[in-house]
Every structure is written in structure tokens, then in C-alpha cells.
């Protein structure tokens, strides 16, 4: 399960930084919840984290997402954009298991987004996120 969650965390970080070309660079608050079969209750609790998005990360969101997934060993990467929505799929081998990701990211404004990520590596997990821009300066 830990490898499964590592891939989930990776996708979350990647999808957040990948959206930055349509979102303001700076500090973001991201609220996340997870659900899935056989998932321990403590893992389903809502969490909040902050993340810094740089101007450099925001230059080309599709290229950033593709580069991050490729460097993580993912294959068969498909990314489509329709207006304010990005749909992305990838297959990520990790040892004897392969995890598939199906993500949908909606940008409501340059200061607000939400995403839904469905993962499957024999167990299905759904991750929902809501991000709000906090300010220009990132905490060190």
C-alpha cells in the first residue's frame, strides 16, 4: 500500500504544479480527501497542505505534467485540455505492480481549482482536491 500512496502523492504534486500556467504563481492551500476499497480510516481523513508554485513551473502545464510523469517512469501518457478542464491518464509500472491514473482537473479561476484522481493498482482509490491561492510569496 505504501508504494500505491507514494504514486498518489506524486500525481497530486505533479497535477498541482502542472496547472500553474492558468493559476497564479505563489502559495496555495490544498485540501485533499481520499476514499477507496480496503483503505484504513485514518487515510480517508481530510488533510490540508500548502504548496509553492513558481513562475517557471507555470510556463507550459501540459509539458510540465508530461515531463514529471515521464521522469517518474510512467508510460502511455495521454493529456487533453478542453477549456478550463484537463483530463489526463497514465500507466505507471512500479516493480511487479502497475498503477493506472485517470485525472480530471478543473480551473474555476486563477485562484481556485479542484481535481479528482482515480488510481487503480488492484485496489481503487479516489483522491479529491480543492486548491485556493493564498498569496504571492511562498513561505521558506
Amino acid at each position: 500500500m505504501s508504494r500505491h500512496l507514494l504514486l498518489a502523492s506524486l500525481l497530486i504534486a505533479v497535477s498541482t504544479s502542472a496547472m500553474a500556467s492558468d493559476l497564479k504563481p505563489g502559495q496555495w492551500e490544498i485540501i485533499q480527501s481520499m476514499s477507496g476499497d480496503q483503505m484504513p480510516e485514518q487515510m480517508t481523513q481530510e488533510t490540508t497542505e500548502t504548496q509553492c508554485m513558481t513562475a517557471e513551473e507555470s510556463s507550459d502545464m501540459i509539458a510540465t505534467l508530461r515531463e514529471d510523469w515521464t521522469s517518474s517512469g510512467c508510460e502511455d501518457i495521454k493529456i487533453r485540455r478542453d477549456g478550463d478542464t484537463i483530463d489526463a491518464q497514465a500507466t505507471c509500472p512500479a516493480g511487479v505492480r502497475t498503477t493506472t491514473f485517470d485525472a480530471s482537473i478543473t480551473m474555476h479561476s486563477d485562484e481556485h481549482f479542484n481535481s479528482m484522481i482515480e488510481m487503480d493498482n488492484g485496489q481503487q482509490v479516489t483522491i479529491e482536491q480543492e486548491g485556493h491561492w493564498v498569496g504571492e510569496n511562498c513561505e521558506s
Side-chain angles (χ1 to χ4, degrees):
M1 185 72 156
S2 64
R3 183 175 291 266
H4 179 71
L5 291 175
L6 176 63
L7 287 172
S9 298
L10 175 64
L11 179 62
I12 291 164
V14 168
S15 64
T16 303
S17 63
M19 293 184 302
S21 68
D22 286 308
L23 300 174
K24 289 183 176 182
Q27 191 76 26
W28 284 79
E29 178 181 77
I30 301 165
I31 301 167
Q32 173 182 298
S33 62
M34 296 181 6
S35 60
D37 301 335
Q38 303 174 356
M39 182 174 282
E41 185 177 332
Q42 68 269 22
M43 294 180 67
T44 64
Q45 296 176 358
E46 188 174 276
T47 60
T48 301
E49 66 177 49
T50 58
Q51 182 173 355
C52 183
M53 290 191 225
T54 67
E56 182 179 345
E57 290 173 321
S58 68
S59 63
D60 182 344
M61 56 198 251
I62 300 298
T64 300
L65 181 56
R66 185 174 307 282
E67 180 180 322
D68 286 343
W69 274 356
T70 300
S71 69
S72 298
C74 297
E75 305 165 345
D76 194 26
I77 301 167
K78 297 179 180 97
I79 305 169
R80 293 176 311 282
R81 181 172 183 157
D82 184 14
D84 292 336
T85 302
I86 296 172
D87 292 311
Q89 293 81 35
T91 303
C92 305
V96 297
R97 287 194 168 184
T98 297
T99 302
T100 58
F101 293 97
D102 188 359
S104 181
I105 305 159
T106 304
M107 294 160 284
H108 300 285
S109 72
D110 63 351
E111 296 183 359
H112 176 229
F113 74 87
N114 38 332
S115 65
M116 180 181 293
I117 303 160
E118 295 179 347
M119 299 175 22
D120 187 349
N121 74 347
Q123 296 179 355
Q124 295 184 349
V125 175
T126 300
I127 302 165
E128 295 184 55
Q129 296 180 312
E130 183 163 5
H132 296 277
W133 186 72
V134 176
E136 290 180 15
N137 296 323
C138 293
E139 297 175 8
S140 300

